[in-house]
Amino acid sequence: MSQTAPMPPVNRVHLVGAMGIGQILAWSSTYYLPAVLASPIAQATGWSITRVVMGLSLGLLVAGACSPRVGRMIDRHGGRSTLAASSTLMALGLALMGAAQHLPVYYLAWTIIGLAMAAGLYDAAFATLGSLLGSAARSSISGLTLLGGFASTLGWPLLAYLEHQLGWRGACFVLAGAHLAVGLPIYLLFVPKAPTAPAPASSRTQTNAEAGQPLAYRQLFLLLALLLTLQSLVASTVSVHLLDMLKLLGMATASALAIGMIMGPAQVAGRIAEFTWGQGLHPTWATRLGVLLCLVGILLLVPAQAWLAFVAIALYGAGNGILTITRGTLPLVLFGPTGYGARMGLLARPMLVAQAAGPIGAAMILDVFSAEALLMVLASLALAGLLASSRLPTREAGP
Protein backbone atom coordinates (compact mmCIF):
# COMPACT_ATOMS: atom_id res chain seq x y z
CA MET A 1 0.00 0.00 0.00
CA SER A 2 1.25 3.50 -0.84
CA GLN A 3 2.13 5.68 2.09
CA THR A 4 2.17 9.45 2.36
CA ALA A 5 5.36 11.20 3.42
CA PRO A 6 5.58 11.99 7.15
CA MET A 7 4.44 15.44 8.13
CA PRO A 8 6.99 17.87 9.60
CA PRO A 9 6.15 19.18 13.08
CA VAL A 10 3.26 21.65 13.07
CA ASN A 11 3.07 24.65 15.41
CA ARG A 12 -0.51 24.18 16.52
CA VAL A 13 -0.80 27.51 18.31
CA HIS A 14 0.19 29.45 15.19
CA LEU A 15 -1.90 27.23 12.95
CA VAL A 16 -5.10 27.41 14.99
CA GLY A 17 -4.65 31.12 15.71
CA ALA A 18 -4.18 31.96 12.04
CA MET A 19 -7.05 29.77 10.90
CA GLY A 20 -9.23 31.23 13.67
CA ILE A 21 -8.68 34.74 12.27
CA GLY A 22 -9.53 33.38 8.84
CA GLN A 23 -12.75 31.84 10.16
CA ILE A 24 -13.83 35.05 11.86
CA LEU A 25 -13.32 36.95 8.61
CA ALA A 26 -14.99 34.24 6.50
CA TRP A 27 -18.12 33.86 8.64
CA SER A 28 -18.48 37.62 9.21
CA SER A 29 -18.44 38.37 5.47
CA THR A 30 -20.70 35.53 4.32
CA TYR A 31 -23.15 33.79 6.66
CA TYR A 32 -23.56 36.75 9.03
CA LEU A 33 -23.49 39.48 6.38
CA PRO A 34 -27.24 39.65 5.56
CA ALA A 35 -28.16 40.18 9.22
CA VAL A 36 -26.61 43.66 8.98
CA LEU A 37 -26.62 44.55 5.27
CA ALA A 38 -29.92 43.02 4.04
CA SER A 39 -32.03 46.04 5.03
CA PRO A 40 -29.62 48.67 3.62
CA ILE A 41 -29.33 46.69 0.38
CA ALA A 42 -33.13 46.43 0.08
CA GLN A 43 -33.62 50.13 0.80
CA ALA A 44 -30.96 51.24 -1.67
CA THR A 45 -31.90 48.94 -4.54
CA GLY A 46 -35.65 48.53 -4.16
CA TRP A 47 -35.35 44.75 -3.97
CA SER A 48 -37.47 43.08 -1.31
CA ILE A 49 -35.87 41.78 1.86
CA THR A 50 -36.92 38.27 0.84
CA ARG A 51 -35.08 38.53 -2.47
CA VAL A 52 -32.01 39.95 -0.77
CA VAL A 53 -31.88 37.22 1.88
CA MET A 54 -32.45 34.56 -0.78
CA GLY A 55 -28.90 35.32 -1.92
CA LEU A 56 -27.58 33.62 1.22
CA SER A 57 -29.85 30.62 0.63
CA LEU A 58 -28.48 30.36 -2.91
CA GLY A 59 -24.93 30.54 -1.58
CA LEU A 60 -25.61 27.78 0.96
CA LEU A 61 -27.11 25.54 -1.74
CA VAL A 62 -24.06 26.07 -3.94
CA ALA A 63 -21.79 25.33 -0.98
CA GLY A 64 -23.70 22.13 -0.27
CA ALA A 65 -23.36 20.99 -3.88
CA CYS A 66 -19.59 21.61 -3.89
CA SER A 67 -18.63 20.41 -0.40
CA PRO A 68 -18.02 16.71 -1.19
CA ARG A 69 -15.62 17.57 -4.02
CA VAL A 70 -13.84 20.11 -1.81
CA GLY A 71 -13.43 17.50 0.91
CA ARG A 72 -11.89 15.02 -1.51
CA MET A 73 -9.51 17.70 -2.79
CA ILE A 74 -8.33 18.40 0.76
CA ASP A 75 -7.79 14.68 1.37
CA ARG A 76 -5.71 14.50 -1.78
CA HIS A 77 -3.76 17.78 -1.70
CA GLY A 78 -4.18 19.26 1.79
CA GLY A 79 -6.15 22.35 2.70
CA ARG A 80 -3.64 25.16 2.20
CA SER A 81 -4.45 25.89 -1.44
CA THR A 82 -8.19 25.32 -0.89
CA LEU A 83 -8.40 27.80 1.99
CA ALA A 84 -6.32 30.31 0.03
CA ALA A 85 -8.66 29.90 -2.94
CA SER A 86 -11.63 30.53 -0.64
CA SER A 87 -10.24 33.95 0.32
CA THR A 88 -9.75 34.84 -3.34
CA LEU A 89 -13.29 33.70 -4.22
CA MET A 90 -14.79 35.59 -1.27
CA ALA A 91 -12.99 38.73 -2.39
CA LEU A 92 -14.29 38.31 -5.94
CA GLY A 93 -17.85 37.62 -4.81
CA LEU A 94 -17.96 40.52 -2.36
CA ALA A 95 -16.52 42.93 -4.91
CA LEU A 96 -19.13 41.81 -7.44
CA MET A 97 -21.85 42.21 -4.83
CA GLY A 98 -20.72 45.75 -4.07
CA ALA A 99 -20.87 46.61 -7.77
CA ALA A 100 -24.20 44.84 -8.47
CA GLN A 101 -26.87 47.07 -9.97
CA HIS A 102 -29.23 44.26 -10.94
CA LEU A 103 -30.59 41.29 -9.00
CA PRO A 104 -29.10 38.59 -11.32
CA VAL A 105 -25.62 40.06 -10.74
CA TYR A 106 -26.27 40.06 -7.01
CA TYR A 107 -27.20 36.37 -7.19
CA LEU A 108 -24.10 35.65 -9.28
CA ALA A 109 -22.06 37.22 -6.49
CA TRP A 110 -23.68 34.88 -3.97
CA THR A 111 -23.00 31.92 -6.26
CA ILE A 112 -19.29 32.76 -6.16
CA ILE A 113 -19.49 33.29 -2.40
CA GLY A 114 -21.16 29.87 -2.13
CA LEU A 115 -18.12 28.28 -3.79
CA ALA A 116 -15.96 30.16 -1.32
CA MET A 117 -18.05 29.00 1.65
CA ALA A 118 -17.60 25.37 0.61
CA ALA A 119 -13.83 25.92 0.48
CA GLY A 120 -13.41 28.18 3.49
CA LEU A 121 -15.88 27.62 6.34
CA TYR A 122 -15.71 25.11 9.19
CA ASP A 123 -15.98 21.88 7.21
CA ALA A 124 -13.03 22.74 4.98
CA ALA A 125 -11.07 24.03 7.99
CA PHE A 126 -11.78 20.84 9.97
CA ALA A 127 -10.71 18.74 7.00
CA THR A 128 -7.50 20.77 6.75
CA LEU A 129 -6.70 20.14 10.41
CA GLY A 130 -7.46 16.46 9.92
CA SER A 131 -5.09 16.25 6.94
CA LEU A 132 -2.31 17.92 8.95
CA LEU A 133 -2.80 16.39 12.40
CA GLY A 134 -4.69 13.15 11.82
CA SER A 135 -6.37 11.65 14.88
CA ALA A 136 -4.70 14.29 17.08
CA ALA A 137 -6.75 17.08 15.48
CA ARG A 138 -9.55 17.01 18.06
CA SER A 139 -8.17 19.65 20.44
CA SER A 140 -7.23 21.89 17.51
CA ILE A 141 -10.77 21.64 16.10
CA SER A 142 -12.09 22.68 19.52
CA GLY A 143 -9.70 25.63 19.64
CA LEU A 144 -10.64 26.70 16.12
CA THR A 145 -14.36 26.76 16.85
CA LEU A 146 -13.66 28.64 20.07
CA LEU A 147 -12.02 31.43 18.07
CA GLY A 148 -14.57 31.24 15.27
CA GLY A 149 -17.33 31.78 17.82
CA PHE A 150 -16.40 35.46 17.93
CA ALA A 151 -17.41 35.95 14.28
CA SER A 152 -20.80 37.47 15.01
CA THR A 153 -19.56 39.30 18.13
CA LEU A 154 -16.85 41.08 16.11
CA GLY A 155 -18.37 40.92 12.65
CA TRP A 156 -21.76 42.51 13.26
CA PRO A 157 -20.44 45.71 14.88
CA LEU A 158 -17.74 45.99 12.19
CA LEU A 159 -20.28 45.53 9.39
CA ALA A 160 -22.60 48.09 11.00
CA TYR A 161 -19.72 50.59 11.31
CA LEU A 162 -18.60 50.08 7.72
CA GLU A 163 -22.16 50.43 6.42
CA HIS A 164 -22.67 53.61 8.43
CA GLN A 165 -19.40 55.15 7.20
CA LEU A 166 -19.23 53.87 3.62
CA GLY A 167 -22.64 52.48 2.72
CA TRP A 168 -23.35 48.84 2.00
CA ARG A 169 -21.40 48.85 -1.26
CA GLY A 170 -18.34 50.35 0.42
CA ALA A 171 -18.62 47.74 3.19
CA CYS A 172 -18.54 44.96 0.59
CA PHE A 173 -15.46 46.45 -1.07
CA VAL A 174 -13.63 46.76 2.26
CA LEU A 175 -14.44 43.13 3.12
CA ALA A 176 -13.19 42.04 -0.31
CA GLY A 177 -9.94 43.87 0.34
CA ALA A 178 -9.65 42.29 3.81
CA HIS A 179 -9.76 38.82 2.29
CA LEU A 180 -6.90 39.68 -0.05
CA ALA A 181 -4.87 41.61 2.53
CA VAL A 182 -5.50 39.42 5.59
CA GLY A 183 -7.18 36.10 4.78
CA LEU A 184 -5.10 35.07 1.79
CA PRO A 185 -1.67 35.83 3.35
CA ILE A 186 -2.67 34.11 6.61
CA TYR A 187 -3.46 30.85 4.84
CA LEU A 188 -0.38 30.97 2.63
CA LEU A 189 1.98 31.81 5.49
CA PHE A 190 0.64 29.77 8.40
CA VAL A 191 -1.04 26.69 6.93
CA PRO A 192 1.68 24.21 5.92
CA LYS A 193 1.45 22.05 2.86
CA ALA A 194 0.22 18.54 3.57
CA PRO A 195 1.93 15.59 1.87
CA THR A 196 0.13 14.56 -1.30
CA ALA A 197 -1.89 11.42 -0.69
CA PRO A 198 -1.82 8.53 -3.15
CA ALA A 199 -4.66 8.51 -5.65
CA PRO A 200 -7.57 6.44 -4.29
CA ALA A 201 -8.65 3.32 -6.09
CA SER A 202 -12.05 4.88 -6.77
CA SER A 203 -13.51 8.37 -6.78
CA ARG A 204 -14.28 8.06 -3.09
CA THR A 205 -11.73 7.26 -0.43
CA GLN A 206 -12.34 3.87 1.14
CA THR A 207 -11.80 3.56 4.86
CA ASN A 208 -10.98 0.43 6.82
CA ALA A 209 -14.47 0.56 8.27
CA GLU A 210 -15.98 0.56 4.78
CA ALA A 211 -13.84 -2.36 3.66
CA GLY A 212 -14.47 -4.46 6.77
CA GLN A 213 -18.15 -3.72 7.47
CA PRO A 214 -19.66 -1.75 4.59
CA LEU A 215 -23.27 -2.08 5.74
CA ALA A 216 -22.48 -1.10 9.33
CA TYR A 217 -20.39 1.79 8.09
CA ARG A 218 -23.14 3.10 5.81
CA GLN A 219 -25.74 2.82 8.55
CA LEU A 220 -23.55 4.70 11.02
CA PHE A 221 -22.69 7.36 8.47
CA LEU A 222 -26.35 7.90 7.55
CA LEU A 223 -27.27 8.09 11.24
CA LEU A 224 -24.63 10.74 11.81
CA ALA A 225 -25.74 12.66 8.70
CA LEU A 226 -29.34 12.57 9.97
CA LEU A 227 -28.32 13.88 13.38
CA LEU A 228 -26.21 16.73 11.99
CA THR A 229 -28.87 17.69 9.44
CA LEU A 230 -31.60 17.84 12.07
CA GLN A 231 -29.41 20.03 14.24
CA SER A 232 -28.65 22.30 11.27
CA LEU A 233 -32.38 22.75 10.68
CA VAL A 234 -32.87 23.77 14.31
CA ALA A 235 -29.82 26.02 14.53
CA SER A 236 -30.47 27.91 11.28
CA THR A 237 -34.12 28.47 12.18
CA VAL A 238 -33.34 29.76 15.67
CA SER A 239 -30.56 32.05 14.42
CA VAL A 240 -32.86 33.68 11.85
CA HIS A 241 -36.22 33.72 13.65
CA LEU A 242 -35.43 33.95 17.37
CA LEU A 243 -36.32 37.62 17.73
CA ASP A 244 -39.52 37.20 15.71
CA MET A 245 -40.57 34.20 17.83
CA LEU A 246 -39.93 36.08 21.08
CA LYS A 247 -41.99 39.05 19.90
CA LEU A 248 -44.84 36.80 18.77
CA LEU A 249 -44.75 35.19 22.21
CA GLY A 250 -45.61 38.61 23.63
CA MET A 251 -42.22 39.89 24.74
CA ALA A 252 -41.25 43.52 24.26
CA THR A 253 -38.67 44.35 21.62
CA ALA A 254 -36.12 45.43 24.22
CA SER A 255 -36.56 42.19 26.14
CA ALA A 256 -36.30 40.13 22.96
CA LEU A 257 -33.06 41.86 22.01
CA ALA A 258 -31.62 41.37 25.48
CA ILE A 259 -32.51 37.68 25.40
CA GLY A 260 -31.03 37.29 21.92
CA MET A 261 -27.75 38.83 23.10
CA ILE A 262 -27.29 35.87 25.47
CA MET A 263 -26.82 33.53 22.49
CA GLY A 264 -23.27 34.48 21.51
CA PRO A 265 -21.69 34.40 24.99
CA ALA A 266 -23.54 31.15 25.77
CA GLN A 267 -22.15 29.49 22.64
CA VAL A 268 -18.63 30.60 23.53
CA ALA A 269 -19.14 29.33 27.10
CA GLY A 270 -20.22 25.94 25.75
CA ARG A 271 -17.15 25.76 23.54
CA ILE A 272 -14.86 26.77 26.40
CA ALA A 273 -16.38 24.04 28.56
CA GLU A 274 -15.83 21.45 25.83
CA PHE A 275 -12.30 22.70 25.18
CA THR A 276 -11.26 22.72 28.84
CA TRP A 277 -13.24 19.89 30.44
CA GLY A 278 -14.60 17.85 27.57
CA GLN A 279 -11.38 16.60 25.99
CA GLY A 280 -11.51 13.40 28.02
CA LEU A 281 -15.17 12.86 27.11
CA HIS A 282 -16.04 10.84 24.02
CA PRO A 283 -17.60 13.14 21.37
CA THR A 284 -20.73 10.98 21.33
CA TRP A 285 -21.45 11.89 24.95
CA ALA A 286 -20.65 15.54 24.28
CA THR A 287 -23.05 15.44 21.31
CA ARG A 288 -25.82 13.96 23.43
CA LEU A 289 -25.29 16.66 26.05
CA GLY A 290 -25.34 19.40 23.40
CA VAL A 291 -28.58 18.14 21.80
CA LEU A 292 -30.21 17.73 25.22
CA LEU A 293 -29.33 21.30 26.21
CA CYS A 294 -30.79 22.58 22.92
CA LEU A 295 -33.99 20.59 23.45
CA VAL A 296 -34.47 21.81 27.02
CA GLY A 297 -33.75 25.39 25.93
CA ILE A 298 -36.40 25.26 23.19
CA LEU A 299 -39.00 23.79 25.53
CA LEU A 300 -38.35 26.48 28.16
CA LEU A 301 -39.33 29.14 25.61
CA VAL A 302 -42.88 27.80 25.36
CA PRO A 303 -44.20 29.32 28.64
CA ALA A 304 -43.31 32.75 27.19
CA GLN A 305 -41.85 34.12 30.42
CA ALA A 306 -39.03 36.62 29.92
CA TRP A 307 -36.90 35.46 32.86
CA LEU A 308 -37.27 31.83 31.75
CA ALA A 309 -36.37 32.79 28.19
CA PHE A 310 -32.98 34.07 29.41
CA VAL A 311 -32.30 30.65 30.93
CA ALA A 312 -33.63 28.94 27.81
CA ILE A 313 -31.32 30.77 25.42
CA ALA A 314 -28.35 30.32 27.73
CA LEU A 315 -28.92 26.55 27.71
CA TYR A 316 -29.65 26.43 23.99
CA GLY A 317 -26.60 28.54 23.15
CA ALA A 318 -24.28 26.40 25.27
CA GLY A 319 -25.62 23.25 23.61
CA ASN A 320 -25.23 24.70 20.14
CA GLY A 321 -21.69 25.77 20.96
CA ILE A 322 -20.80 22.22 21.98
CA LEU A 323 -22.37 20.80 18.81
CA THR A 324 -20.34 23.13 16.61
CA ILE A 325 -17.25 21.34 17.91
CA THR A 326 -18.60 17.80 17.82
CA ARG A 327 -19.68 18.10 14.17
CA GLY A 328 -15.95 18.10 13.45
CA THR A 329 -14.64 15.78 16.16
CA LEU A 330 -17.34 13.10 16.05
CA PRO A 331 -16.68 11.94 12.45
CA LEU A 332 -12.94 11.99 13.18
CA VAL A 333 -13.27 9.75 16.26
CA LEU A 334 -15.93 7.42 14.87
CA PHE A 335 -14.34 6.80 11.47
CA GLY A 336 -10.69 7.79 11.84
CA PRO A 337 -8.60 10.31 9.89
CA THR A 338 -8.44 8.41 6.58
CA GLY A 339 -10.85 10.03 4.14
CA TYR A 340 -11.84 12.60 6.75
CA GLY A 341 -12.06 15.47 4.26
CA ALA A 342 -14.31 13.56 1.86
CA ARG A 343 -16.46 12.46 4.76
CA MET A 344 -16.84 16.01 6.08
CA GLY A 345 -17.78 17.18 2.59
CA LEU A 346 -20.48 14.55 2.27
CA LEU A 347 -21.86 15.40 5.71
CA ALA A 348 -21.82 19.11 4.90
CA ARG A 349 -24.07 18.78 1.86
CA PRO A 350 -27.38 18.00 3.64
CA MET A 351 -26.44 20.32 6.50
CA LEU A 352 -25.99 23.30 4.17
CA VAL A 353 -29.19 22.49 2.28
CA ALA A 354 -30.99 22.39 5.64
CA GLN A 355 -29.51 25.76 6.58
CA ALA A 356 -30.79 27.19 3.29
CA ALA A 357 -34.29 25.69 3.49
CA GLY A 358 -34.96 25.70 7.23
CA PRO A 359 -35.56 29.42 7.77
CA ILE A 360 -37.88 29.56 4.73
CA GLY A 361 -40.03 26.72 6.03
CA ALA A 362 -40.01 28.24 9.50
CA ALA A 363 -41.23 31.57 8.11
CA MET A 364 -44.21 29.76 6.55
CA ILE A 365 -45.05 28.12 9.89
CA LEU A 366 -44.92 31.50 11.63
CA ASP A 367 -47.16 33.07 8.98
CA VAL A 368 -49.77 30.30 8.93
CA PHE A 369 -49.68 29.05 12.52
CA SER A 370 -47.85 30.56 15.51
CA ALA A 371 -44.56 30.85 17.37
CA GLU A 372 -45.70 28.07 19.71
CA ALA A 373 -46.24 25.78 16.72
CA LEU A 374 -42.75 26.51 15.40
CA LEU A 375 -41.24 25.83 18.83
CA MET A 376 -43.01 22.46 18.91
CA VAL A 377 -41.62 21.61 15.48
CA LEU A 378 -38.12 22.60 16.62
CA ALA A 379 -38.49 20.57 19.80
CA SER A 380 -39.58 17.55 17.75
CA LEU A 381 -36.52 17.91 15.51
CA ALA A 382 -34.24 18.21 18.54
CA LEU A 383 -35.87 15.16 20.14
CA ALA A 384 -35.32 13.17 16.94
CA GLY A 385 -31.69 14.29 17.02
CA LEU A 386 -31.38 13.16 20.63
CA LEU A 387 -32.78 9.74 19.74
CA ALA A 388 -30.34 9.50 16.82
CA SER A 389 -27.42 10.42 19.08
CA SER A 390 -28.45 7.68 21.53
CA ARG A 391 -27.69 5.12 18.82
CA LEU A 392 -24.18 6.38 18.14
CA PRO A 393 -21.33 4.24 19.51
CA THR A 394 -18.93 5.46 22.17
CA ARG A 395 -15.87 3.65 20.83
CA GLU A 396 -12.92 4.88 18.84
CA ALA A 397 -12.39 4.14 15.16
CA GLY A 398 -10.75 0.81 14.47
CA PRO A 399 -7.12 0.59 13.25
Side-chain angles (χ1 to χ4, degrees), residues 102-183:
H102 304 285
L103 195 60
V105 179
Y106 174 77
Y107 287 152
L108 176 59
W110 272 109
T111 301
I112 296 172
I113 291 173
L115 295 172
M117 292 165 75
L121 294 186
Y122 275 145
D123 298 296
F126 294 162
T128 299
L129 290 173
S131 71
L132 291 171
L133 304 174
S135 299
R138 180 180 174 183
S139 61
S140 296
I141 289 173
S142 299
L144 181 63
T145 58
L146 181 60
L147 293 176
F150 291 98
S152 60
T153 304
L154 299 176
W156 281 340
L158 176 61
L159 283 169
Y161 174 79
L162 291 174
E163 192 279 326
H164 178 73
Q165 296 294 323
L166 305 172
W168 74 269
R169 295 185 188 276
C172 288
F173 292 141
V174 170
L175 292 173
H179 279 289
L180 295 178
V182 179

Side-chain angles (χ1 to χ4, degrees), residues 15-148:
L15 175 64
V16 173
M19 290 180 65
I21 294 172
Q23 287 299 297
I24 291 173
L25 179 58
W27 282 95
S28 298
S29 56
T30 58
Y31 189 83
Y32 293 122
L33 183 142
V36 178
L37 296 189
S39 293
I41 292 173
Q43 294 170 5
T45 60
W47 308 330
S48 68
I49 285 286
T50 301
R51 290 184 176 183
V52 172
V53 175
M54 280 179 63
L56 174 60
S57 295
L58 174 61
L60 290 170
L61 291 174
V62 171
C66 298
S67 289
R69 181 176 294 273
V70 169
R72 292 194 294 272
M73 288 174 57
I74 293 175
D75 277 341
R76 182 76 178 92
H77 304 289
R80 181 174 182 264
S81 58
T82 300
L83 292 173
S86 76
S87 288
T88 304
L89 287 170
M90 286 181 189
L92 176 61
L94 287 164
L96 184 60
M97 183 185 297
Q101 300 292 335
H102 304 285
L103 195 60
V105 179
Y106 174 77
Y107 287 152
L108 176 59
W110 272 109
T111 301
I112 296 172
I113 291 173
L115 295 172
M117 292 165 75
L121 294 186
Y122 275 145
D123 298 296
F126 294 162
T128 299
L129 290 173
S131 71
L132 291 171
L133 304 174
S135 299
R138 180 180 174 183
S139 61
S140 296
I141 289 173
S142 299
L144 181 63
T145 58
L146 181 60
L147 293 176

Side-chain angles (χ1 to χ4, degrees), residues 63-64 67-68 123 327 343-353:
S67 289
D123 298 296
R327 66 180 272 192
R343 198 173 295 114
M344 289 302 297
L346 288 171
L347 289 170
R349 174 177 285 175
M351 292 168 61
L352 290 165
V353 172

Side-chain angles (χ1 to χ4, degrees), residues 142-384:
S142 299
L144 181 63
T145 58
L146 181 60
L147 293 176
F150 291 98
S152 60
T153 304
L154 299 176
W156 281 340
L158 176 61
L159 283 169
Y161 174 79
L162 291 174
E163 192 279 326
H164 178 73
Q165 296 294 323
L166 305 172
W168 74 269
R169 295 185 188 276
C172 288
F173 292 141
V174 170
L175 292 173
H179 279 289
L180 295 178
V182 179
L184 181 60
I186 276 179
Y187 290 135
L188 293 178
L189 291 174
F190 290 98
V191 179
K193 292 182 179 179
T196 301
S202 64
S203 61
R204 297 184 185 276
T205 304
Q206 297 294 311
T207 65
N208 291 333
E210 286 175 298
Q213 293 181 321
L215 179 59
Y217 170 87
R218 288 196 297 269
Q219 290 175 338
L220 179 57
F221 185 84
L222 290 174
L223 182 65
L224 180 59
L226 173 63
L227 167 61
L228 295 178
T229 302
L230 289 171
Q231 186 57 33
S232 293
L233 277 170
V234 173
S236 62
T237 298
V238 172
S239 66
V240 172
H241 293 293
L242 176 61
L243 296 183
D244 290 335
M245 285 192 294
L246 293 174
K247 292 176 185 177
L248 289 173
L249 289 171
M251 299 182 196
T253 300
S255 296
L257 288 171
I259 293 166
M261 289 175 63
I262 298 294
M263 179 80 72
Q267 290 184 137
V268 172
R271 292 172 185 175
I272 291 174
E274 203 283 341
F275 183 71
T276 55
W277 301 310
Q279 292 301 301
L281 189 67
H282 193 283
T284 292
W285 287 108
T287 299
R288 293 169 182 169
L289 175 60
V291 177
L292 179 61
L293 289 173
C294 288
L295 173 60
V296 173
I298 292 169
L299 291 175
L300 288 179
L301 288 174
V302 176
Q305 299 293 323
W307 69 270
L308 197 56
F310 279 100
V311 178
I313 295 306
L315 293 175
Y316 172 86
N320 197 49
I322 293 171
L323 291 171
T324 305
I325 296 175
T326 60
R327 66 180 272 192
T329 58
L330 192 54
L332 181 66
V333 172
L334 289 180
F335 300 108
T338 304
Y340 177 64
R343 198 173 295 114
M344 289 302 297
L346 288 171
L347 289 170
R349 174 177 285 175
M351 292 168 61
L352 290 165
V353 172
Q355 290 174 18
I360 297 174
M364 295 178 181
I365 294 174
L366 285 176
D367 288 340
V368 177
F369 298 102
S370 64
E372 289 85 355
L374 180 55
L375 286 172
M376 288 298 98
V377 171
L378 293 175
S380 299
L381 293 173
L383 178 60

